[in-house]
Amino acid sequence: MPQVNIGLIGFGTVGTGMVEILINNRQLIEDRLGAEIVLKKIADLDIGSDRGVKIDPTVLTTDAMEIVNDPDIDVVVELVGGCDQAMEYVLMAMERGKHVVTANKALIAKHGKHLFETAEQHNVDIAFEASVAGGIPIIRALREGLSANQIKGILAILNGTSNYILTRMTDEGLSFDEALSIAKRSGYAEVDPTLDIDGSDAAHKLTIIVSLAFGLPCRYEDIFKEGIDMVCPEDIRFAGEFGYCIKLLAIAREVDGHIEARVHPAFVPLDHILANVNEAYNAIYVEGDFVGPTLFYGLGAGKRPTGSAVVSDLMDIARNQIKGITRRVSPLSFVRLPAKELSLKPMDQLITEYYFRFSALDRPGVLSKISGILGANNISIASVIQKGRAGHGSVPVVILTHEAKENDVRKSLELLDKLDVVTEKTVLYRVEKKTGI
Ligand code: HSE
């Protein structure tokens, strides 16, 4: 039987998942491939810990260069994480004619262009299914399954940690800090959860999705992002009163020849399919011009789901190798980039509906001052809730708007927050529509 030799650099959670699948489903994988995937070497600084998987100890090494320089290794699996060392290993592997599989979203989002050019130059495959949404095969779906479609837009929940925290806040009325502590205790948040809660992780993934969906090689730095750390239970309650929940959304849409690409907490209508994606689950809603709406749902993290994605890439590359081909599908599925004249829409040009929560003194004329400034900046009010006062302090005045331009919104909030009747910085959320993309 033909043999494909692989080397794994980084024997952490995902690496362990990959090894587990290769062992547990060995027969099934061989039956599907007609080839054997042989794990020749594993490099990690820690080769002493028991990961609960049976491996021959002689495959372990602390020197990743043993893998990079081994002429018998066909595919290098990079699961080191971070950008610096991972980048070096991946480039060196490709320069030596080895294919690469990586789960490293930051690496692809920040250095994709250079990596894909290097892969082309050395005629090797680079595969990264595990970099977006863990076990959900969204990369393959965009690259192949949906490749005949013009993608109209994508709405996605791409960060399981944030979704878990928001679910706890919504279901139990907890504060952000309380929900984060539970997420840490239950293993859903890392000790340092910054990249998950500030929107960076979702923005890395959206960068990759935008490139695949629209053929627009976009840079991570160009994606607008806001995290969930400012979400508070009061806004979740008001959202519910208006018929919405709050989710950390990654949004990409083609609007008049421009691509909107943004990550932020957003109001999602309770009857939207994404409103029911809870706990640590991810989901990606994709609309294509011919296929219509599609939904991809599953676990976006964890050793088994992410390991499953890594092994699917290994199997793809093994199939190529058996047939004696490489690069059957180019990494972003576009041979010519940019596919058409598209550019990222500047965030201040965004047009959407908004939610504002003002903290205002409960005095005659306050509402008319607020609505006057909004009206003067082309912002039309759709609904208002003002709660009665318990004492004589400030009260929340909550407003949903019709479609407005982000630039006008920012200008009016700057003016409104200077009013003596507005006592705290106004809270803003962008609101998703009831139907479609
Ligand atoms: N930390 C990510 C999440 C998973 O919480 O979804 C890995 O990308």
Side-chain angles (χ1 to χ4, degrees), residues 265-318:
F267 274 36
V268 177
L270 289 171
D271 59 5
H272 195 290
I273 203 155
L274 290 183
N276 292 311
V277 176
N278 290 317
E279 306 295 332
Y281 279 86
N282 283 196
I284 304 114
Y285 174 87
V286 185
E287 233 179 87
D289 59 349
F290 274 70
V291 71
T294 60
L295 182 74
F296 301 82
Y297 172 85
L299 285 171
K303 77 176 177 178
R304 289 168 72 96
T306 315
S308 148
V310 169
V311 175
S312 77
D313 278 346
L314 284 172
M315 291 173 72
D316 242 13
I317 291 175

Side-chain angles (χ1 to χ4, degrees), residues 103 105 130-134 158-162 188-190 195-196 201 205 280 282 300-302 306:
K105 66 217 138 213
S131 66
V132 178
L158 294 175
N159 186 264
T161 307
S162 297
Y188 288 109
E190 313 245 357
L195 295 181
D196 290 316
D201 175 80
K205 294 166 180 166
N282 283 196
T306 315

Side-chain angles (χ1 to χ4, degrees), residues 74-89:
D74 305 300
V75 189
V76 171
V77 182
E78 181 279 305
L79 299 176
V80 177
C83 277
D84 301 338
Q85 247 196 340
M87 182 75 175
E88 276 178 37
Y89 293 143

